[in-house]
Amino acid sequence: MSNNEDFQENENQLFWTKSAGFSDRNNRLDKFWGALLEEEGISRGKIKDWIKAGFAEINGEVCKKPNRKLMGNEELTLKGEAELTSLLPEALPLEIIFNDGEIAIVNKPDGLTTHPAPSCLTGTLVHRLIHHFPEIRNMDEWRPGIVHRLDKYTSGLIAVALNEHNRLTMSAAFADREVNKEYLAIVHGVPERGFGEIDVPMGRHPVHKTKMAVVLKGGRHARSAYETLWSDPSKRASLVKVKIFTGRTHQIRVHMAHIGHPLVGDQVYGSQQHAVWEQEQPRLAKLAKRQMLHAYSLAFTHPKSGEELSFSQTPPADFISMLKELNKSVQRVGLIGMPCGGKSAVLKIMAKMGIPTFSADISVARSYEKEGTGWEMIRQRFGNKFIDPETGDIDKKSLFTAMRENQDLRREVMNIIHPIVQHDVQEFFKLHCDEPLAIAEVPLLLEAGWHTQKQVDAVIGVRCPEEKRTGQLREKRGISPEILAVFDSWQWDEKSKLDCCTAVIENDGDMSKLESETVRVLDVLATLRKSRENAFEDYLQKQFTRDEN
């Protein structure tokens, strides 16, 4: 019933011992035990009844006052009645992976408690086991066949011994760490390293007694190893494989939270991250109805035959659905083309269609405003040389003239502005992460190497006949041929740009044709998104069936 080593059980009698610490000073006796035993499903009202009945002791003396304040240095004991009745089989489904009459391997669904406890007298895995395997009823009265356990909301493989000899043998194998246990978990963020070990002791949380925690003094040895298998395109979450070498309560949940990547859906050890998701990722937060943890594989020596056995089990539907939704992260599309080539017109067409759009020109203009990021950094570097005395903003005309005349200054300004725009684009994609796609028009995207740095998933180019670009469209923008030539000189030539594009919009006709071309390329992007979904489904199938085969 408890993983607390200070707990004992004798038939229906329950008995706990615990030392109060400094953090418990001025805490009420009933509140102390209520917090400690909440996980056991024992109500504070029941604890009050036990205390009033004389079942509580402080330093060996009976205390019948539930509101007794603790000093923080006492030895406490509490007795109680489990109120369990005889186990009755429950004829409910049980997915049996393996059964040779000696042992069984079952796939426990999430939401199913492993064995009875004061808070759960019926509806446990054990109740189903004694229906499917009636022979185990002659074993342990309340935990027949159980040699290890999984948390209620953890899904996956659990081994069951079908006779007492095998139960003792397998229990010893688990205790001696001779069983290889691997789990799959979806965690918040992306672990800094692709793999690593977490070897830090664990114990009860010093303040919140129902929680476990990394405890550097007085904790028990706990060791886990993890490997990052996949991260979603927006870096919101990752699929990790975790191997545990010890079996502490909530070990994986505590260890992954300790390195800053709690399990998705874990509202105990990842409550802060879950609250952020509820605000920023409500669709994903609703899917995370439990901690995303699955007991994926078990490998051990058969207790009778000595044969080496290995089992693995694909995660359940809710786990797979979470991964698929994460993979549907916004398709990040960059829009490029030569100056005066029609990029802005295409961006307006997409915006009218309800597609989120971003303009680097607007980003830079805002950054140049007084006290903007670009304004601050240019002012720090060049003083007030490029500050308009009337508005206080950056004097774009004087800055452009200086950049035109001094290539070193131009490169220095570009090195200031590019990271600012890059940050704005990243925030733009993050803001629209639940959309199918978002378009960022960034003229120097290719020159800055964003496509090779995987800052975007696709690049769309706009090709415009030279005569139209340098004539009609240039005049519409009010740019002189000389200034346009300067802009051109700061960029790659059109062929080099378009050769790097995923698809190209032809701007060689009227507005109606440009709209048709835009729709055509959006269809190309939709096909790419579908291909990405299909490829990810293939990846998941191979990932989860590799070991099973």
Side-chain angles (χ1 to χ4, degrees), residues 172-214:
F174 274 93
D176 294 339
R177 306 172 188 174
E178 296 172 354
V179 177
N180 185 39
K181 297 171 287 184
E182 291 186 344
Y183 293 72
L184 291 174
I186 305 174
V187 301
H188 285 280
V190 181
E192 185 176 351
R193 296 187 298 167
F195 57 90
E197 281 204 5
I198 309 168
D199 194 345
V200 287
M202 286 177 52
R204 286 282 173 187
H205 194 286
V207 177
H208 306 290
K209 301 298 183 182
T210 61
K211 295 172 61 176
M212 305 301 289
V214 168

Side-chain angles (χ1 to χ4, degrees), residues 208-275:
H208 306 290
K209 301 298 183 182
T210 61
K211 295 172 61 176
M212 305 301 289
V214 168
V215 181
L216 299 181
K217 290 185 179 181
R220 302 178 68 187
H221 177 230
R223 179 184 168 213
S224 308
Y226 69 89
E227 176 188 358
T228 303
L229 303 178
W230 173 85
S231 299
D232 87 280
S234 295
K235 311 301 181 185
R236 296 167 296 179
S238 300
L239 172 67
V240 298
K241 181 184 288 187
V242 185
K243 179 178 181 179
I244 59 173
F245 301 91
T246 52
R248 306 299 172 224
T249 302
H250 300 171
Q251 179 171 322
I252 293 175
R253 298 165 64 188
V254 171
H255 270 179
M256 294 309 297
H258 178 67
I259 65 170
H261 301 284
L263 272 58
V264 167
D266 191 340
Q267 298 187 46
V268 175
Y269 301 104
S271 57
Q272 182 177 354
Q273 290 84 348
H274 189 77

Side-chain angles (χ1 to χ4, degrees), residues 259-457:
I259 65 170
H261 301 284
L263 272 58
V264 167
D266 191 340
Q267 298 187 46
V268 175
Y269 301 104
S271 57
Q272 182 177 354
Q273 290 84 348
H274 189 77
V276 171
W277 266 31
E278 287 182 323
Q279 293 294 321
E280 299 181 358
Q281 310 282 339
R283 179 172 55 86
L284 291 173
K286 288 180 181 179
L287 289 176
K289 297 180 179 179
R290 61 158 178 131
Q291 69 260 12
M292 291 288 106
L293 183 62
H294 175 73
Y296 175 60
S297 70
L298 272 177
F300 56 91
T301 303
H302 193 286
K304 184 174 182 180
S305 69
E307 179 185 359
E308 297 297 324
L309 299 177
S310 179
F311 304 92
S312 61
Q313 180 63 38
T314 299
D318 67 331
F319 195 100
I320 301 295
S321 294
M322 174 62 73
L323 291 173
K324 289 182 177 180
E325 286 301 315
L326 284 165
N327 186 59
K328 289 180 181 177
S329 176
V330 62
Q331 185 181 34
R332 303 165 302 169
V333 181
L335 179 64
I336 60 96
M338 297 300 291
C340 296
K343 300 186 300 298
S344 297
V346 170
L347 205 65
K348 289 179 180 178
I349 292 171
M350 291 179 170
K352 288 181 179 180
M353 298 172 69
I355 299 171
T357 58
F358 172 93
S359 168
D361 290 342
I362 295 176
S363 172
V364 172
R366 289 174 178 169
S367 183
Y368 280 169
E369 293 175 355
K370 186 177 181 179
E371 298 184 357
T373 306
W375 177 91
E376 184 65 38
M377 296 182 70
I378 288 175
R379 187 168 175 268
Q380 287 178 3
R381 174 63 183 87
F382 302 106
N384 292 326
K385 183 177 180 180
F386 301 114
I387 302 298
D388 187 320
E390 294 184 5
T391 65
D393 300 337
I394 294 291
D395 186 337
K396 293 186 285 291
K397 185 176 181 180
S398 65
L399 180 61
F400 175 77
T401 300
M403 292 170 64
R404 180 180 178 183
E405 295 174 350
N406 188 326
Q407 293 301 310
D408 290 337
L409 184 143
R410 180 180 69 83
R411 282 189 288 268
E412 192 169 357
V413 172
M414 290 297 187
N415 289 335
I416 291 173
I417 296 303
H418 279 181
I420 296 173
V421 174
Q422 185 177 36
H423 174 267
D424 288 350
V425 171
Q426 290 172 345
E427 290 300 305
F428 164 73
F429 286 139
K430 181 180 178 181
L431 178 65
H432 298 287
C433 61
D434 285 338
E435 299 287 345
L437 78 164
I439 312 292
E441 184 256 322
V442 182
L444 298 180
L445 182 150
L446 298 173
E447 290 82 350
W450 291 12
H451 59 310
T452 58
Q453 299 166 8
K454 306 299 182 183
Q455 298 290 326
V456 291
D457 303 309

Side-chain angles (χ1 to χ4, degrees), residues 320 324 327 530-546:
I320 301 295
K324 289 182 177 180
N327 186 59
K530 185 61 178 178
S531 296
R532 184 176 71 179
E533 290 180 18
N534 293 339
F536 187 65
E537 290 192 9
D538 291 342
Y539 163 79
L540 291 179
Q541 185 174 8
K542 292 177 182 178
Q543 181 69 49
F544 297 144
T545 60
R546 180 179 55 194

Side-chain angles (χ1 to χ4, degrees), residues 53-236:
F55 293 160
E57 294 183 1
I58 299 178
N59 293 328
E61 296 185 3
V62 173
C63 176
K64 295 184 178 182
K65 296 181 179 180
N67 63 350
R68 169 76 173 269
K69 293 291 183 70
L70 300 177
M71 297 294 294
N73 57 0
E74 302 95 333
E75 292 296 323
L76 308 175
T77 63
L78 181 68
K79 300 176 184 178
E81 295 281 340
E83 299 183 359
L84 291 174
T85 58
S86 298
L87 289 175
L88 297 176
E90 296 180 2
L92 294 171
L94 189 64
E95 186 177 358
I96 301 170
I97 306 301
F98 175 84
N99 173 22
D100 66 352
E102 299 287 340
I103 63 171
I105 305 296
V106 301
N107 182 26
K108 186 188 86 66
D110 71 273
L112 183 65
T113 300
T114 301
H115 53 70
S119 62
C120 188
L121 303 180
T122 60
T124 71
L125 175 65
V126 162
H127 289 86
R128 299 189 190 191
L129 286 173
I130 60 176
H131 168 75
H132 292 272
F133 304 101
E135 64 270 27
I136 69 174
R137 296 197 66 178
N138 297 323
M139 299 164 63
D140 183 284
E141 185 176 6
W142 303 113
R143 308 178 197 177
I146 299 300
V147 295
H148 68 121
R149 64 182 292 275
L150 296 176
D151 288 345
K152 179 177 180 179
Y153 294 105
T154 298
S155 58
L157 297 178
I158 189 166
V160 180
L162 300 183
N163 58 61
E164 186 64 13
H165 172 270
N166 291 344
R167 188 186 71 82
L168 294 173
T169 302
M170 293 187 71
S171 294
F174 274 93
D176 294 339
R177 306 172 188 174
E178 296 172 354
V179 177
N180 185 39
K181 297 171 287 184
E182 291 186 344
Y183 293 72
L184 291 174
I186 305 174
V187 301
H188 285 280
V190 181
E192 185 176 351
R193 296 187 298 167
F195 57 90
E197 281 204 5
I198 309 168
D199 194 345
V200 287
M202 286 177 52
R204 286 282 173 187
H205 194 286
V207 177
H208 306 290
K209 301 298 183 182
T210 61
K211 295 172 61 176
M212 305 301 289
V214 168
V215 181
L216 299 181
K217 290 185 179 181
R220 302 178 68 187
H221 177 230
R223 179 184 168 213
S224 308
Y226 69 89
E227 176 188 358
T228 303
L229 303 178
W230 173 85
S231 299
D232 87 280
S234 295
K235 311 301 181 185
R236 296 167 296 179

